[in-house]
Amino acid sequence: MLKIYLILLLAVLCEGVGSTCLQASQQFTRFWPSVGVVAGFGSAFYLMMIVLKYMPLGITYAIWSGLGICLTAFLGWLIFKQGVDLAALIGMTLIIVGIVIINIFSKTATH
């Protein structure tokens, strides 16, 4: 099962790259960042498809999107110097807490 979580984590990383490239592409007017969008999101969805063979859609998507939100906010701060206020940090902390609760207490997290 650890392998499936690693694949899901890789999907989240690819989604973070795709989202970051989306900002950098300047509405698809820059070639290489635009390629990064397609490669990042394409890889993310392919890897998520693999995970869906072993985990239910709702749980997979909750983990993927929740971690993706946090990673994308971090990359926006790191690369583009976009600020994140206290309310956003609290919200993202609650997202992470929700993911932890799902994985520790939910019996639907795996098939």
Side-chain angles (χ1 to χ4, degrees):
M1 198 63 203
L2 178 61
K3 179 181 175 183
I4 298 308
Y5 280 104
L6 291 175
I7 293 171
L8 183 55
L9 182 59
L10 187 56
V12 170
L13 293 174
C14 290
E15 188 264 338
V17 168
S19 295
T20 303
C21 287
L22 189 61
Q23 174 79 38
S25 76
Q26 298 178 357
Q27 292 75 41
F28 293 104
T29 60
R30 297 179 64 218
F31 180 74
W32 288 113
S34 298
V35 170
V37 172
V38 174
F41 283 118
S43 298
F45 284 115
Y46 174 77
L47 293 167
M48 195 167 97
M49 177 187 66
I50 293 170
V51 173
L52 288 172
K53 294 178 186 175
Y54 303 95
M55 293 177 67
L57 174 63
I59 301 300
T60 300
Y61 193 73
I63 295 168
W64 180 72
S65 61
L67 292 178
I69 289 167
C70 297
L71 176 62
T72 302
F74 174 73
L75 291 173
W77 170 80
L78 184 70
I79 296 170
F80 303 111
K81 309 299 183 223
Q82 297 172 342
V84 178
D85 63 8
L86 181 60
L89 289 173
I90 291 169
M92 286 184 271
T93 300
L94 291 172
I95 289 169
I96 298 298
V97 168
I99 291 169
V100 169
I101 288 170
I102 286 170
N103 283 285
I104 291 176
F105 297 109
S106 176
K107 296 195 184 336
T108 62
T110 59
H111 286 279

